[in-house]
Amino acid sequence: MDIAGTAAAIRGGDRRALARAITLVESGRADHRAQAVALLSALGRDRQALRLGLSGTPGVGKSTFIEAFGMLLVEAGLRVAVLAVDPSSARSGGSILGDKTRMERLSRHPAAFIRPSPSQAQMGGVARRTREAVALCEAAGFDVVLIETVGVGQSETMVAEMCDLFVLLMAPAGGDELQGVKRGIMEMADLILVNKADGDLLPAATRTVADYAGALRLLRRRPQDPDGFPKAMPVSAVSGAGLATAWAEMQTLADWRRAHGHWDGRRADQAGYWFTQEVRQGLLAVLDREPARGVMARLAAEVGQGTRPPEAAAAEMLALLGRGAPGG
């Protein structure tokens, strides 16, 4: 790949160059990895988009919401990128990658870019290279980057570490649904949007918003929030009700954080977090290559046969890695 030429094309808004670059950063090949690092370095980080992380229980209508919300933004003159992370099969490793087909109007809009990616069995349903794809979209000049994740769970911490605002999408439900939401997710959410607040479900949605609002008031106050945040709101992806209000609240929160120094500080903390993650992933990759792989297999066999305690075998492996010469 022509790194300089590709970087210039991406900064010029070339969608094909952007798509090829995302494919490059998602590749697991060592030569592609080296090119991806060079490309990201060439692009720089002088452009910033509003990064919105969106999560929610399966069937809550995330794709429908993203299309309606994305259309609201592009019709307001903004450029929107959607990175939709699709579940990968634990057995075959394959993914359907059907999110784009569920966003028919938005996918046709010239100001929108939709990229489905396989989760690759990553914790939190976030592909390992999604953060780098976000950086590529920022370099391409997009104003808002939406990161749609798979399901909800404690591991959604990874989503919060790559976005500026974390939005939790919920469906109208009773107390059982509220009990089912883990406290960790509630503590990370900046906005809880109760979708499907229309028709016969409107009364249930209104009650659910009140339930979540009460639950949010019980949480400890966060320094990065102004008065009134985090908050719960009703929206309807079908009728469009509440979408403009939700966007206004997101802008209010983002502007407040910029004005009070939380924006830059948070992004600096996130960069440090991902540096640590890259080092850890690199160390794990060492274990999957020879000679470390052979040593691991030998020690695992000894542990399985009962001739070596797991703790002693692990200590030996770590000592060999520390000397930089496993198997030597």
Side-chain angles (χ1 to χ4, degrees), residues 19 22-23 26 63 66 81-88 95-103 107 113-120 125-127 130 133 137 146-150:
I22 294 177
T23 300
E26 289 178 347
S63 296
I66 288 176
V82 178
L83 301 176
V85 183
D86 207 48
S88 294
S95 297
I96 298 176
L97 302 179
D99 298 87
K100 198 167 183 176
T101 63
R102 294 195 293 267
M103 305 178 193
S107 64
F113 175 83
I114 302 175
R115 173 69 180 225
S117 298
S119 65
Q120 302 169 352
V126 181
T130 300
C137 291
L146 279 162
I147 309 162
E148 179 196 1
T149 69
V150 181

Side-chain angles (χ1 to χ4, degrees), residues 313-325:
E316 179 179 338
M317 188 68 209
L318 291 172
L320 291 171
L321 288 173
R323 292 199 295 269

Side-chain angles (χ1 to χ4, degrees), residues 62-318:
K62 292 190 293 292
S63 296
T64 306
F65 171 82
I66 288 176
E67 175 167 58
F69 185 63
M71 289 301 298
L72 173 74
L73 298 183
V74 296
E75 288 170 359
L78 298 174
R79 298 185 67 212
V80 178
V82 178
L83 301 176
V85 183
D86 207 48
S88 294
S89 168
R91 177 175 299 179
S92 67
S95 297
I96 298 176
L97 302 179
D99 298 87
K100 198 167 183 176
T101 63
R102 294 195 293 267
M103 305 178 193
E104 187 177 354
R105 287 188 304 147
L106 187 61
S107 64
R108 294 200 304 261
H109 200 287
F113 175 83
I114 302 175
R115 173 69 180 225
S117 298
S119 65
Q120 302 169 352
Q122 294 295 311
M123 268 201 330
V126 181
R128 180 182 170 191
R129 298 302 173 190
T130 300
R131 179 188 59 86
E132 294 173 352
V134 170
L136 291 171
C137 291
E138 287 186 319
F142 286 94
D143 302 299
V144 179
V145 179
L146 279 162
I147 309 162
E148 179 196 1
T149 69
V150 181
V152 292
Q154 291 291 91
S155 55
E156 293 295 285
T157 302
M158 296 187 72
V159 188
E161 293 297 342
M162 66 174 69
C163 65
D164 302 309
L165 302 179
F166 181 59
V167 179
L168 185 59
L169 198 64
M170 302 302 295
D176 290 342
E177 179 73 9
L178 182 60
Q179 293 295 327
V181 177
K182 295 185 178 181
R183 181 181 176 90
I185 294 290
M186 296 283 287
E187 290 175 334
M188 286 188 293
D190 296 304
L191 280 176
I192 294 179
L193 302 181
V194 179
N195 194 23
K196 304 181 181 180
D198 51 59
D200 294 340
L201 290 176
L202 182 57
T206 303
R207 291 193 300 271
T208 305
V209 169
D211 289 341
Y212 285 132
L216 289 172
R217 283 193 292 269
L218 298 176
L219 298 180
R220 182 180 301 173
R221 175 76 181 274
R222 304 181 305 185
Q224 70 268 30
D225 292 332
D227 290 337
F229 285 90
K231 62 176 58 178
M233 302 173 57
V235 296
S236 170
V238 174
S239 69
L243 296 181
T245 304
W247 172 236
E249 294 289 0
M250 294 177 197
Q251 290 177 294
T252 297
L253 181 55
D255 290 343
W256 187 90
R257 288 180 176 175
R258 286 191 186 97
H260 290 79
H262 296 290
W263 180 281
D264 292 334
R266 180 62 179 149
R267 288 217 168 184
D269 291 342
Q270 289 176 344
Y273 171 86
W274 287 107
F275 161 72
T276 303
Q277 290 299 311
E278 283 295 315
V279 172
R280 289 177 176 172
Q281 290 290 341
L283 291 174
L284 289 175
V286 170
L287 296 178
D288 207 29
R289 297 194 299 264
E290 296 296 350
R293 180 190 293 179
V295 179
M296 284 281 288
R298 174 176 61 80
L299 292 173
E302 293 177 4
V303 170
Q305 294 164 3
T307 59
R308 181 80 64 94
E311 298 80 8
E316 179 179 338
M317 188 68 209
L318 291 172

Side-chain angles (χ1 to χ4, degrees), residues 36-47:
V37 172
L39 177 60
L40 290 165
S41 298
L43 285 170
R45 297 298 176 94
D46 58 311
R47 295 179 177 178

